[in-house]
Each structure stands twice: as structure tokens, then as C-alpha cells.
């Protein structure tokens, strides 16, 4: 902490990013379980994105900050599992839309529930006051990045 109980925003930003990375890495390592060989974290992120709306390969690659060929391989693997489907745009046959299938939605939901349960067990170690403080901090973080707080 800086003087007077303040902290430089760059230092705080670095701490937040390091903590988010640590949380995701540890929880993901515990959650991926049976899908370990075929289910990298990128696939989880893709399923999460596709749960909101269909995307094109180009949009997915841009959002993931990777090459389209990388996303194409991941989408093909998810398609082989039956978790996503690809459909040509009737208005522009060059464009392919990737959509989450009902099976993909179920897999994503199970992974999300497992992740929340794992993280919840770790958070149970905190006092009620600490959990409230953490929830308030998460609301502030969402507000700072322009996201809508669910509370």
C-alpha cells in the first residue's frame, strides 16, 4: 500500500490480473478432470462465448487474440465432440457461423457448476465479513471495467 492507505492504480491492476490468473489456473486445473487431454482452457472460453450468441471464426479469433487457424482447430475438435455446429450464412456463403449445441450447453453448464463449487469451497474458509468484502470488491471491479454488476 502507498502512503495514506492508497495504492497506485497500476500496482492494483497488476495485483488484480495476477490474482485472476491464479484463480483461473487453479480452479481450471481442478475442473477439467476427465476432459484433460481434449479440453484446453481455450475451448472452455469458446464455449462460454458461444453460449451468448453465434460467432464467425474471424470474430472468435479476434476475441481470443489468436490466429483463425488456431480457432478453426479448436472449433473442429468441439464439433467432433458434438458441442458446436457450423452453419453457412445463407446471405453470404463465405461466412460460417459457429453455434453452441444443446450438448455443448450442458457440458459448459456442468463445467461452470464444478468451477463454482470448487471455488465456493475455498471461499468458505473466509469469514462472512471477508466474503462480503470480497463481493463488494468484485462489484467495484465490474463497475471499473464497465461491466454490469449482477447485484
Amino acid at each position: 500500500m502507498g502512503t495514506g492507505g492508497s495504492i497506485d492504480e497500476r500496482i492494483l491492476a497488476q495485483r488484480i490480473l495476477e490474482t485472476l490468473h491464479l484463480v483461473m489456473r487453479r480452479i481450471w486445473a481442478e475442473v477439467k478432470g476427465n476432459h484433460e487431454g481434449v479440453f484446453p482452457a481455450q475451448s472452455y472460453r469458446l464455449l462460454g462465448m458461444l453460449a451468448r450468441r453465434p460467432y464467425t471464426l474471424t470474430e472468435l479469433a479476434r476475441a481470443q487474440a489468436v490466429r483463425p487457424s488456431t480457432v478453426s482447430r479448436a472449433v473442429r475438435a468441439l464439433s467432433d465432440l458434438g458441442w458446436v455446429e457450423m452453419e453457412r450464412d445463407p446471405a453470404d456463403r463465405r461466412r460460417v457461423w459457429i453455434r453452441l449445441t444443446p450438448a455443448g450447453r450442458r457440458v459448459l453448464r456442468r463445467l461452470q457448476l464444478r468451477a463454482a463449487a470448487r471455488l465456493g469451497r475455498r471461499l468458505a474458509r473466509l469469514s462472512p465479513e471477508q466474503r462480503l468484502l470480497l463481493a463488494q470488491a468484485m462489484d467495484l471491479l465490474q463497475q471499473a471495467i464497465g461491466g454490469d454488476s449482477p447485484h
Side-chain angles (χ1 to χ4, degrees), residues 7 98 127:
I7 184 169
I98 297 105
S127 71

Side-chain angles (χ1 to χ4, degrees), residues 5 12 17 34 39-40 64 72 78-79 82 121 130 134 151:
L12 179 59
L17 292 172
N34 298 342
F39 205 79
Q64 297 285 316
S72 182
L78 294 173
S79 178
R121 282 194 289 277
Q130 289 172 317
L134 184 56
H151 304 289

Side-chain angles (χ1 to χ4, degrees), residues 43-86:
S43 296
Y44 177 73
R45 288 190 303 270
L46 289 174
L47 290 178
M49 289 178 65
L50 292 167
R52 292 189 281 286
R53 68 173 180 87
Y55 283 83
T56 65
L57 279 173
T58 303
E59 290 173 328
L60 288 172
R62 191 175 304 121
Q64 297 285 316
V66 297
R67 287 185 280 233
S69 60
T70 302
V71 171
S72 182
R73 280 191 301 277
V75 166
R76 200 169 23 256
L78 294 173
S79 178
D80 290 346
L81 292 167
W83 296 346
V84 301
E85 59 189 8
M86 295 172 274

Side-chain angles (χ1 to χ4, degrees), residues 88-108:
R88 291 226 176 262
D89 188 326
D92 182 352
R93 303 295 291 164
R94 296 169 297 175
R95 178 176 287 165
V96 176
W97 291 99
I98 297 105
R99 301 178 196 286
L100 198 60
T101 65
R105 201 169 293 283
R106 285 190 300 274
V107 165
L108 176 62

Side-chain angles (χ1 to χ4, degrees), residues 82-145:
W83 296 346
V84 301
E85 59 189 8
M86 295 172 274
E87 178 184 323
R88 291 226 176 262
D89 188 326
D92 182 352
R93 303 295 291 164
R94 296 169 297 175
R95 178 176 287 165
V96 176
W97 291 99
I98 297 105
R99 301 178 196 286
L100 198 60
T101 65
R105 201 169 293 283
R106 285 190 300 274
V107 165
L108 176 62
R109 186 70 186 135
R110 275 196 309 271
L111 288 169
Q112 289 170 330
L113 290 172
R114 278 171 63 185
R118 298 285 176 135
L119 184 54
R121 282 194 289 277
R122 290 175 182 241
L123 296 175
R125 300 174 190 159
L126 300 175
S127 71
E129 295 81 14
Q130 289 172 317
R131 288 193 302 271
L132 179 60
L133 185 60
L134 184 56
Q136 291 169 341
M138 296 305 296
D139 287 345
L140 285 173
L141 180 57
Q142 286 183 334
Q143 179 184 345
I145 63 171

